[in-house]
Amino acid sequence: MAIRKSTMQEQVAQAIAQINPGDRAIATIHTVTGPSPWLINSLGVIAQAFVKYYFVTVTEQAVVFHKAGRMSARPKELVAAIPRHEAARLVSEVKRNALWSSLKFQLPGEPKPTRLNVARYWRPELDQWVPAVTGAQAA
């Protein structure tokens, strides 16, 4: 099971290399979908069934979404790969908070943007990810 951030990032980079060997990861964030994680945790186990975990990586060529294992924190199957030049217009409502930051991303095939929550542990990567995708700093 991957526990260290560097191990998780290596595993994501390997998954990206399998998809596109010529591409290189710039920044990877681990996210949890849904409303505030505080609300999800207060609702208990049943609410956990409705959230999804993703590794979202900006590479030189694309923004790549991999499902993340709930227990193993390993990258699973590829969900989406959006060309980097198209991704900036799909990001909205970036909020940098003390413990849980968030942003919304319009995933292909979804009717509305998906809220992605990013834990404080991943904030340095979020601070790299946002400008790499949007060209603007996280607020």
Side-chain angles (χ1 to χ4, degrees):
M1 170 164 68
I3 294 175
R4 291 186 15 219
K5 189 188 314 183
S6 61
T7 304
M8 289 184 251
Q9 291 167 324
E10 275 180 35
Q11 292 169 347
V12 171
Q14 290 169 359
I16 289 170
Q18 290 175 350
I19 298 166
N20 186 355
D23 208 359
R24 182 181 66 83
I26 296 170
T28 298
I29 54 177
H30 184 265
T31 67
V32 181
T33 64
S36 167
W38 298 109
L39 177 62
I40 293 296
N41 287 337
S42 69
L43 295 176
V45 176
I46 293 174
Q48 289 292 324
F50 296 103
V51 300
K52 296 177 185 170
Y53 295 83
Y54 293 115
F55 284 108
V56 186
T57 305
V58 60
T59 70
E60 293 173 339
Q61 300 173 9
V63 174
V64 181
F65 281 75
H66 283 95
K67 280 191 177 179
R70 287 179 187 268
M71 301 304 282
S72 67
R74 290 180 177 271
K76 303 284 183 183
E77 68 268 11
L78 177 69
V79 174
I82 297 115
R84 194 165 163 196
H85 66 275
E86 294 177 17
R89 66 179 177 77
L90 302 175
V91 176
S92 62
E93 297 183 41
V94 178
K95 296 177 184 168
R96 191 174 184 274
N97 294 317
L99 294 177
W100 284 97
S101 299
S102 66
L103 62 98
K104 290 192 177 177
F105 196 97
Q106 180 64 55
L107 285 165
E110 294 291 325
K112 61 182 185 173
T114 301
R115 179 180 163 136
L116 303 173
N117 299 296
V118 181
R120 181 185 179 103
Y121 184 64
W122 290 90
R123 191 181 316 151
E125 289 75 16
L126 178 66
D127 291 344
Q128 293 175 326
W129 191 95
V130 170
V133 175
T134 66
Q137 296 298 320

